[in-house]
Structures are given as C-alpha cells and as structure tokens.
Amino acid sequence: MAMKEEIVRKIAILSRINVSDDELDNISRELGSIIDWIELLKEVDTQSVEPMTGGTDIKSFKREDIVNDGGYQEKILKNAPSKNDNLFEVPKVVE
Amino acid sequence: MSLVIKGSTKEWEVVIGLEVHAQITSKSKLFSGASVNFGADPNSQVSFIDAGMPGMLPVINRVCVEQAIKTGLGLKAKINLKSVFARKNYFYADLPQGYQISQYELPIVGEGVIELDMSDGQTRSIGIERLHLEQDAGKSIHDLHPEKSFIDLNRSGIALMEIVSKPDMRSPEEVGAYLRKLRSILRYLGTCDGNMDEGSMRCDANVSVRPVGSEELRTRCEIKNVNSVKFVMQAIEYEAKRQVDIYETNGEVLQETRLFDQSKVETRPMRSKEFAHDYRYFPDPDLLPLELDQKYVDKIKQNLPELPDEKKSRFISEYNLAEYDAGVLVSENAVADYFEIVTKGRDPKISANWVITNLFSVLNKKGLSIKESPVSALNLGQLIGLIEKNIISGRIAKDVFEIMVEEQKSPEAIVEEKGLRQISDTGSIEAAVEDVISENPDKVKEYKGGKTKLIGWFVGQVMKKTKGKANPGLVNKVLSEKL
C-alpha cells in the first residue's frame, strides 16, 4: 500500500532531503512496498524472545577514565565549510 | 506550601516536574577520551567521535557509569542491572552526529526520592522518576555576529545525568528547595560540582495548573535551560499565572517549549519547528546494552559517603542540635566538616551558634566560601574553649573574633597580646564596684528606693571601668552584696 503523501513529506523534512511534488507519487509507492515487505516479519511470534544485540556473545566493554584523545583543533576544523577563530561558522540559528 | 493563584472564577494550584541535567564529574567524556576541562580553547578538546566523523565508534567510560550508579543510590533509587542506549534524533548545528546518544526505554536508574525540609518545618517527599546517561551537545554562540552563529564542540560528548522528577512540586519554593537539595546530594557524592553558572547543572521545568482540589494533569509547558535557582522560581511563577489567565478567559494552553527571558521576567514560546518533538528514538546499534553486576553495585553502595539527610539526623542525635541548625550545617559537606572540628570537645550548641551566626556573617560580607574562611576551624574551636574555661567573656570573644578575621592569629595569642584575660579575682572586682557605688550616690539611693532594674546600669558601669574584662557573673554577685 502506498505511503500517505503527508507522511512522506514529513519524513523528507526530518531527513533533510528535498523532495519535489512530482517525485512524491513514486516515492510513496516505493516506501509503501518496503513497509509492506517489513510487515511480513510481524507474523513471526517473538513474544518470549529477547531483542538480539549482535551475532556474538560479547558483553559491554568499558573504557578507563583517561584523557587520551582530542587536542587536534586543526584536524577537527579542517573540513569546516567556514570557520572563524577556531570556531565553526554557521548561518545564524537563534531561538 | 502550595502556591495558590486566585482567579476570578476559582482558585488554581501549580503542578511542577523538573528535568535536571547534571554534568558528571570525570576526566574524559562519556564515549571518547577527550578532556572535559572547562574554559579550554574552542574545539581543542574534541575527538573524531565527538565531531561525528563517519566510522568512529563510541566506547563507554567506566567512571561515568559508576558516578551515575552512585547518584542513583544517593537518591535511594533502583539501579537497573541492564540498561540500553538509544539515539535521540534531531537536527541542530551544535549536534554533529545528528543524534544524541541517550537512554530511553531502559535507563540506568529507576524510581527514587528526595526529601525536602521546608521553611515552615514541614517535610516533603519528591519522587524521582528516573536518571539516565546521555551526551551533551556542543555550544552555540549567537552574539558575535549579526548573520552567523559559532560552534564550539568542546562540550560535545561530555557525560550528563538527566534526573527527572515526578510532577510532585506545588510551588516555586519547593522547586528551589528541590534544586538546592539535589545539588547538595550531588556535591556530597562528588558526582557533579553543581555549578549552575558554568552550566554543569541545568534545569528544564514542566509546568501546568489545575483547579485546587482536582487531581487531573492538564497540558504542560516546558521551560528550557534556566541557569539559576532564582530564575527557575521566577519563570515558574510567571508561567503559572499565564496559564491561569488563559483558562480563566476560556482559552486552551498549548503544549510547547518556552524560553525564560531574564531581563523581562517572562516566558515566551521558542520559535519551534513543528517536528521538534519527533525524536525517533531507537536502540543505538553502536553500543551493546550496559550490563552491571549486583556485586559491583553493592560495593559502590558500601562506599557511599554519609549524605545530608543521614548527617542531619546524626547531628540532631549526637550533638542535640535544633532541627534548623542541623539543616544549615549539613547543607554543604565542607560546612559540616568545619563544624565538627570546631565542636570537638566543646559545647555543640555554642559551636553551632558561632558558625551559623558569627562566621557566616563574616563569610557573606566578604563573599568567601567556607573553604576560604579567614578563621580556621581549629582557631574558632580554641576561641570557644577560652569562653568555656572562663578565660574571656562572650562579649570579649566577639572582639577577639574580629581580630582573628583580620589577622589570622590564634585566639590565645590575641588574648595575651592585648591583655584581654577576664578579671575573675574578687578583690579587683570589689574595688571597681566600690568605686562605682561611691561615684553615684543618687543612683544608689534610687536603687535602694525600689528601682531594682538599675542593677543592669551598675553592671554596665563596672564593665566600663574594667574595659569589659570583668567576669559578668562575679560582677553581678558582688554588686548585689554591696548594694
């Protein structure tokens, strides 16, 4: 079933993707058929199954609290489209 | 202690829940090895993980986990042995990953409680809903340029505890008491420095109103990031009145996020994007569930320091202090420690009085913290010892204290140097009393004629003659004998 166009528009905004009006129809149908396909999984009974977090049996690993990273300002800022005085510069975002 | 707002149709009460973001005291960030020091050069404490570079994987900091557990135990809360990290997705310039790693359905700490002592002597229990671990975002700077904002990612990835209360508070006073108590607990535990000026403790308030007597929860507004206890209280008061006005004029309160304007003392809606609240949480595939061992949690519990509530009970039972005095003394760990040194081997009530009245007024006047006190706890204890041994009177002790504040000398040295030792030999006091009597025959006549209240005046005259050094008990005794 095709996805509602208003939902497609909303997802597009949340994903920061520009979708023009004449693309909407096609995307609605494509996303709809993906959802339908995923819906199939609901038919499996998973009531008593814990969510799986990986294919191996490893437990969470913890780091020691040591400073051993950072201190490379120039690398962090290297790809910035615009910078000023070691700060990233972006269009004004103000509340 | 509820805040009741009188409307034109009925009375309203305010319902408040708080979300406090407390920065965890640690050396490095929650998921990276970059430093968390405050005030460093912009973007100098950023790892590729904190900058959201592709292919980087987060690894959790052991100490941050331990600090969250400690805090949970300090809030008498349930520690969840399994918790899960989730991605909270939103788009903003200071969030390079495009999502914040947080905890959603399974937080590390569950329900707990904070006890508040209100100024009217009542106690209030405020429920804690949960505490979860999450990353901080970077810092945006808006006031340097008319069309640009600037981003410093040093704060990006620093570990926060979000501590969510139940909607149990009913007045700005309770909110103030809750924040101060929470800060005190965090400082005792050493899990957050509680410094609101530097942003290491920040607060969002959820506020709604309802008719007095009703149990319903109406639509709430969230007031964001208010950075002092005083401003939170002001913001809530304004917001409650605003909502009452809306209901009284048959309007509808909209669920929205509002900002507090400190200069105008009002809240106003954020220019919010309509999808701002669609966070699309899902378990972070980069991180395994956080699993804890009950033995590990028990060990942390055994090593918890004495917390404000327990310390207060002990001060009341061990030192026989009044409820209020005990409360003041335990509000800060350093103050409590100071008091315990002062009172060692001395009368606790007199010691409490000297700390709360005399020492605090000096510290307030000079804007100093207890740790910067010009008078050491040992010296203040010695001073009280001198009063107790009748070497100086309470009044002279106040003068000695003034000198101690300025000169940082021991009270004994000051007393010797200035010859302030109390006169306790009857001979010299009798001489002074006789002088006063013979110099003032008319007053003596009045006294003998029944004006016995004049005794106070006589004591004053003898004190003047002895430069305040006479033992007041002896002066009284000798006077009543001679008159």
Side-chain angles (χ1 to χ4, degrees), chain A residues 94-95, chain B residues 222-226 235 238-239 256-262 265-271:
Chain A
V94 136
E95 283 295 351
Chain B
E222 184 181 5
I223 309 167
K224 276 270 177 210
N225 265 336
V226 206
Y238 173 87
E239 179 60 20
E256 61 186 358
T257 305
R258 300 178 67 86
L259 281 180
F260 180 64
D261 186 324
Q262 298 168 7
V265 195
E266 62 176 36
T267 65
R268 60 162 188 269
M270 276 175 78
R271 271 188 280 153

Side-chain angles (χ1 to χ4, degrees), chain B residues 66-67 69-76 184-191 298-312 314 333 337:
Chain B
E66 190 176 318
Q67 296 283 56
I69 297 170
K70 249 192 208 172
T71 308
L73 293 170
L75 299 173
K76 318 241 179 312
S184 160
I185 293 171
L186 294 171
R187 284 179 173 165
Y188 265 68
L189 290 165
T191 56
D298 291 343
K299 206 172 142 200
I300 296 174
K301 192 170 189 173
Q302 278 162 21
N303 292 321
L304 278 191
E306 185 182 35
L307 290 169
D309 287 343
E310 286 86 62
K311 205 181 273 281
K312 186 178 165 191
R314 179 167 68 80
N333 208 4
D337 288 348

